Amino acid sequence: MAWWGDADETRVLIAPDHDTNGNGSGNVLSLRHPKTGNKACYLYFDEELLELHWFKQSYGSWFLGDYVCEDGRLYTATPVDPVFILLPIFDEARMKKKDDPGKFRQLDEILYVQGYEGYQQLASIAEKSMQIVCDFKEVGSAKFFRLNDSKVLRWLSYKVS
Protein backbone atom coordinates (compact mmCIF):
# COMPACT_ATOMS: atom_id res chain seq x y z
CA MET A 1 0.00 0.00 0.00
CA ALA A 2 2.18 2.82 -1.24
CA TRP A 3 -0.35 5.56 -1.93
CA TRP A 4 1.63 8.05 0.15
CA GLY A 5 4.74 7.69 -2.04
CA ASP A 6 3.63 10.41 -4.46
CA ALA A 7 4.02 13.42 -2.18
CA ASP A 8 3.36 15.91 -5.02
CA GLU A 9 -0.25 14.78 -5.41
CA THR A 10 -2.78 16.87 -3.45
CA ARG A 11 -5.14 14.87 -1.23
CA VAL A 12 -7.94 15.67 1.23
CA LEU A 13 -7.17 14.50 4.76
CA ILE A 14 -9.46 14.87 7.75
CA ALA A 15 -7.44 14.63 10.96
CA PRO A 16 -7.44 15.99 14.50
CA ASP A 17 -6.28 19.60 14.72
CA HIS A 18 -2.88 19.84 16.36
CA ASP A 19 -1.63 23.13 17.71
CA THR A 20 1.66 23.32 15.83
CA ASN A 21 4.07 26.03 14.89
CA GLY A 22 3.28 25.59 11.20
CA ASN A 23 5.45 22.52 10.62
CA GLY A 24 2.51 20.10 10.44
CA SER A 25 4.55 17.11 9.28
CA GLY A 26 4.22 13.55 10.46
CA ASN A 27 5.54 10.17 9.43
CA VAL A 28 3.43 7.65 7.56
CA LEU A 29 4.18 4.20 8.97
CA SER A 30 3.35 0.73 7.72
CA LEU A 31 2.45 -1.45 10.70
CA ARG A 32 0.60 -4.73 11.11
CA HIS A 33 -3.10 -4.38 11.83
CA PRO A 34 -3.62 -5.86 15.32
CA LYS A 35 -6.61 -7.98 14.29
CA THR A 36 -5.70 -9.22 10.81
CA GLY A 37 -1.91 -8.94 10.78
CA ASN A 38 -2.15 -7.30 7.34
CA LYS A 39 -0.17 -4.19 6.49
CA ALA A 40 -2.00 -1.01 7.52
CA CYS A 41 -1.06 2.67 7.34
CA TYR A 42 -0.69 4.91 10.35
CA LEU A 43 0.34 8.52 10.80
CA TYR A 44 2.74 9.22 13.65
CA PHE A 45 2.43 12.88 14.52
CA ASP A 46 3.61 14.71 17.63
CA GLU A 47 3.79 11.59 19.87
CA GLU A 48 0.31 10.50 18.73
CA LEU A 49 -0.59 7.53 16.55
CA LEU A 50 -3.41 7.93 14.01
CA GLU A 51 -4.85 5.19 11.84
CA LEU A 52 -5.28 6.17 8.18
CA HIS A 53 -8.34 5.15 6.16
CA TRP A 54 -9.40 6.18 2.70
CA PHE A 55 -12.81 6.30 1.09
CA LYS A 56 -13.74 6.66 -2.55
CA GLN A 57 -17.19 7.19 -3.95
CA SER A 58 -18.08 6.14 -7.49
CA TYR A 59 -18.40 9.73 -8.64
CA GLY A 60 -16.95 12.76 -6.95
CA SER A 61 -14.25 15.39 -6.92
CA TRP A 62 -12.79 17.89 -4.49
CA PHE A 63 -12.18 21.53 -5.31
CA LEU A 64 -9.17 22.78 -3.39
CA GLY A 65 -8.56 26.41 -4.27
CA ASP A 66 -7.56 26.36 -7.95
CA TYR A 67 -6.92 22.62 -7.90
CA VAL A 68 -9.39 19.79 -8.60
CA CYS A 69 -8.79 16.42 -6.97
CA GLU A 70 -10.52 14.40 -9.69
CA ASP A 71 -10.75 10.98 -8.07
CA GLY A 72 -12.71 12.24 -5.02
CA ARG A 73 -10.76 10.18 -2.51
CA LEU A 74 -11.04 11.23 1.11
CA TYR A 75 -8.50 10.23 3.74
CA THR A 76 -9.23 10.20 7.46
CA ALA A 77 -6.80 9.92 10.36
CA THR A 78 -8.31 8.76 13.63
CA PRO A 79 -6.48 8.50 16.96
CA VAL A 80 -5.72 4.95 18.08
CA ASP A 81 -4.36 3.78 21.41
CA PRO A 82 -0.82 2.51 20.69
CA VAL A 83 -1.33 -0.35 23.15
CA PHE A 84 -3.82 -1.93 20.72
CA ILE A 85 -1.26 -1.77 17.92
CA LEU A 86 1.65 -3.03 20.06
CA LEU A 87 -0.11 -5.87 21.93
CA PRO A 88 0.43 -8.53 19.23
CA ILE A 89 4.16 -7.89 18.87
CA PHE A 90 4.67 -7.80 22.66
CA ASP A 91 2.75 -11.08 22.89
CA GLU A 92 4.98 -12.71 20.27
CA ALA A 93 8.14 -11.29 21.84
CA ARG A 94 7.63 -12.87 25.25
CA MET A 95 7.76 -16.39 23.73
CA LYS A 96 5.22 -17.72 26.23
CA LYS A 97 4.87 -21.50 26.63
CA LYS A 98 1.90 -23.01 28.53
CA ASP A 99 2.32 -22.04 32.22
CA ASP A 100 5.57 -20.13 31.69
CA PRO A 101 4.87 -16.36 31.69
CA GLY A 102 7.54 -15.79 29.03
CA LYS A 103 10.78 -13.87 28.76
CA PHE A 104 11.68 -10.29 29.49
CA ARG A 105 13.01 -8.54 26.39
CA GLN A 106 14.49 -5.14 25.65
CA LEU A 107 12.25 -2.68 23.85
CA ASP A 108 14.44 -2.41 20.74
CA GLU A 109 14.32 -6.23 20.35
CA ILE A 110 10.53 -6.25 20.67
CA LEU A 111 10.06 -3.39 18.21
CA TYR A 112 12.22 -5.03 15.55
CA VAL A 113 9.65 -6.63 13.25
CA GLN A 114 11.06 -7.71 9.92
CA GLY A 115 9.41 -5.84 7.06
CA TYR A 116 7.88 -3.24 9.40
CA GLU A 117 10.52 -0.62 10.23
CA GLY A 118 7.80 1.75 11.44
CA TYR A 119 7.63 0.06 14.84
CA GLN A 120 11.08 1.35 15.73
CA GLN A 121 9.84 4.93 15.37
CA LEU A 122 7.29 4.21 18.11
CA ALA A 123 9.93 3.52 20.78
CA SER A 124 9.17 6.62 22.87
CA ILE A 125 5.42 6.06 23.07
CA ALA A 126 5.85 2.28 23.39
CA GLU A 127 7.97 2.66 26.52
CA LYS A 128 5.37 4.93 28.14
CA SER A 129 2.20 3.16 27.06
CA MET A 130 3.22 -0.49 27.42
CA GLN A 131 4.08 -0.13 31.11
CA ILE A 132 0.29 -0.32 31.68
CA VAL A 133 0.12 -3.93 30.41
CA CYS A 134 3.66 -5.19 30.98
CA ASP A 135 5.90 -6.21 33.82
CA PHE A 136 9.23 -4.46 33.49
CA LYS A 137 12.64 -4.67 35.08
CA GLU A 138 15.44 -2.17 35.05
CA VAL A 139 18.99 -3.50 34.93
CA GLY A 140 21.37 -0.57 34.95
CA SER A 141 20.14 1.79 32.28
CA ALA A 142 18.33 -0.94 30.31
CA LYS A 143 14.61 -1.72 30.65
CA PHE A 144 13.17 -5.14 29.97
CA PHE A 145 9.47 -5.77 29.25
CA ARG A 146 7.20 -8.81 29.42
CA LEU A 147 3.48 -8.75 28.64
CA ASN A 148 1.35 -9.61 31.68
CA ASP A 149 -1.99 -11.31 30.91
CA SER A 150 -3.75 -10.10 34.06
CA LYS A 151 -2.71 -6.48 33.38
CA VAL A 152 -3.94 -6.81 29.79
CA LEU A 153 -7.34 -8.06 31.00
CA ARG A 154 -7.63 -5.21 33.51
CA TRP A 155 -6.69 -2.70 30.82
CA LEU A 156 -9.20 -4.17 28.35
CA SER A 157 -11.93 -4.10 31.02
CA TYR A 158 -11.15 -0.45 31.66
CA LYS A 159 -11.30 0.31 27.91
CA VAL A 160 -14.68 -1.42 27.59
CA SER A 161 -16.06 0.53 30.56
Side-chain angles (χ1 to χ4, degrees):
M1 210 174 170
W3 48 263
W4 64 84
D6 188 2
D8 294 335
E9 207 170 321
T10 302
R11 295 285 177 217
V12 177
L13 171 67
I14 298 174
D17 187 21
H18 289 278
D19 186 27
T20 63
N21 57 3
N23 183 354
S25 64
N27 295 325
V28 175
L29 308 175
S30 288
L31 306 173
R32 291 192 312 204
H33 191 278
K35 181 179 178 184
T36 64
N38 296 334
K39 191 175 279 194
C41 296
Y42 296 87
L43 179 63
Y44 183 54
F45 182 83
D46 195 28
E47 295 291 310
E48 184 176 19
L49 191 62
L50 306 165
E51 187 172 10
L52 291 175
H53 299 278
W54 70 276
F55 303 95
K56 183 175 182 337
Q57 295 181 345
S58 300
Y59 301 100
S61 298
W62 290 99
F63 295 95
L64 307 168
D66 292 336
Y67 178 79
V68 177
C69 182
E70 296 173 359
D71 63 9
R73 281 187 275 186
L74 174 68
Y75 296 88
T76 61
T78 56
V80 62
D81 191 328
V83 176
F84 282 118
I85 305 304
L86 297 170
L87 270 176
I89 65 167
F90 272 73
D91 186 42
E92 290 172 14
R94 69 178 164 170
M95 297 181 267
K96 181 181 178 179
K97 295 178 185 171
K98 295 185 184 179
D99 295 334
D100 179 33
K103 299 179 180 184
F104 282 89
R105 309 270 306 270
Q106 283 187 300
L107 191 59
D108 59 339
E109 292 176 30
I110 296 170
L111 295 179
Y112 177 77
V113 179
Q114 189 169 352
Y116 294 92
E117 293 80 23
Y119 283 107
Q120 295 164 359
Q121 294 184 38
L122 300 178
S124 62
I125 61 171
E127 185 172 349
K128 295 173 197 168
S129 59
M130 293 309 287
Q131 290 184 24
I132 297 168
V133 293
C134 289
D135 296 325
F136 64 95
K137 293 182 179 182
E138 290 188 53
V139 179
S141 62
K143 271 190 180 177
F144 296 85
F145 293 83
R146 179 182 65 199
L147 197 62
N148 180 316
D149 290 336
S150 61
K151 288 183 176 183
V152 171
L153 287 175
R154 274 195 306 259
W155 176 78
L156 284 171
S157 296
Y158 171 77
K159 283 294 195 180
V160 169
S161 299

